[in-house]
Amino acid sequence: MSHPHPQGDTVPLHPSSAQSDMDEIESLIHAAPTAAAVLPARPSSPPRASIPISNSPPVAAPTSSKPQPVPPFSSAVSSSSAPPRSASVTIPIAADGFGAPPNTLTEPVWDTVQRDLSRIVSNLKLVVFPNPFREDPGKALRDWDLWGPFFFIVFLGLTLSWSASVKKSEVFAVAFAVLAAGAIILTLNVLLLGGHIIFFQSLSLLGYCLFPLDVGALICLMKDNVVLKIVVVAVTIAWSSWAAYPLMSTAVNPRRKALALYPVFLMYVSVGFLIIAIN
């Protein structure tokens, strides 16, 4: 006895729809390999270096109660190799050497006068005792000043104007004019000879070397003997020229020193004639 299947439990597939589904599945299977892109294989990464790790605890360095002595040579080297700090390191520089000049605006007046007088005396020694073979003959030209030349030219002008009978003011002015003209000529002459000098250095050199002529003018003022005046003036001219000779060593080439001194000699000769003529 057979049991018939109820019609409400299963629904039979339509033959046409089942065939179309199978065709679609087969088309997807055949199209999958062509649509998928094959990616290249990734190269293997190089092996990384491994850091060995020790499980044992670190061994502490042995410490001693006494400090180890440091050799003096190593300390000197370490101290010299360390770079200096600009905030704490100060280098003293002499006032007459290189570097900035000292501040004279806040110093006492007596200190300024003492410094100027010491410089005048130091430069005057080079004129009173001329020596071309000294260690530094051009010191007076390098450390020039105008106080000494001012005193000597004023003294010469006063001596000549005191001896003159008329036109005392003009005689006083002539002394300054001769010194200024001599400084200009000396400066141009040294520069043309290839030397190095400035106008104020020439003025300082000529003014300091006037000291022997000042002494001669004072002697001629007190004596009326003409022969004595000529001898005194000749000696003082030679003295002044010889005093100026070593001072020119730093201004011009030693081979041309005589050419540089020639206008100086002519200026002192003119001053000597002025002394004889007025006295």
Side-chain angles (χ1 to χ4, degrees), residues 157-269:
L158 291 176
T159 304
L160 295 178
S161 61
W162 184 271
S163 302
S165 56
V166 292
K167 299 181 179 179
K168 295 181 180 292
S169 59
E170 295 181 2
V171 172
F172 185 82
V174 166
F176 280 88
V178 170
L179 180 63
I184 294 174
I185 295 173
L186 176 61
T187 304
L188 294 178
N189 187 37
V190 171
L191 294 178
L192 291 176
L193 291 175
H196 302 280
I197 198 172
I198 60 176
F199 172 75
F200 295 108
Q201 287 179 331
S202 301
L203 198 63
S204 177
L205 186 148
L206 296 177
Y208 273 108
C209 293
L210 277 177
F211 175 76
L213 289 171
D214 289 346
V215 176
L218 185 61
I219 294 174
C220 294
L221 178 64
M222 296 184 295
K223 301 294 181 179
D224 293 334
N225 191 350
V226 178
V227 177
L228 179 61
K229 291 180 181 179
I230 294 175
V231 173
V232 170
V233 168
V235 171
T236 54
I237 289 175
W239 187 3
S240 297
S241 302
W242 181 246
Y245 181 77
L247 302 181
M248 300 293 297
S249 59
T250 58
V252 73
N253 192 342
R255 297 181 179 179
R256 301 179 178 180
K257 195 184 298 184
L259 294 175
L261 193 63
Y262 179 70
V264 178
F265 175 74
L266 292 181
M267 192 206 78
Y268 291 148
V269 169

Side-chain angles (χ1 to χ4, degrees), residues 82-126:
R85 290 179 293 178
S86 59
S88 60
V89 178
T90 56
I91 301 175
I93 300 176
D96 55 349
F98 295 100
N103 186 12
T104 58
L105 297 178
T106 57
E107 68 176 2
V109 179
W110 179 241
D111 293 344
T112 304
V113 172
Q114 283 183 333
R115 186 180 63 254
D116 293 338
L117 289 177
S118 64
R119 179 176 297 179
I120 291 173
V121 172
S122 176
N123 292 336
L124 188 58
K125 288 180 181 178
L126 301 177

Side-chain angles (χ1 to χ4, degrees), residues 64-68:
S64 59
S65 59
K66 296 181 179 181
Q68 297 293 333

Side-chain angles (χ1 to χ4, degrees), residues 74 81 207:
S74 62
S81 60

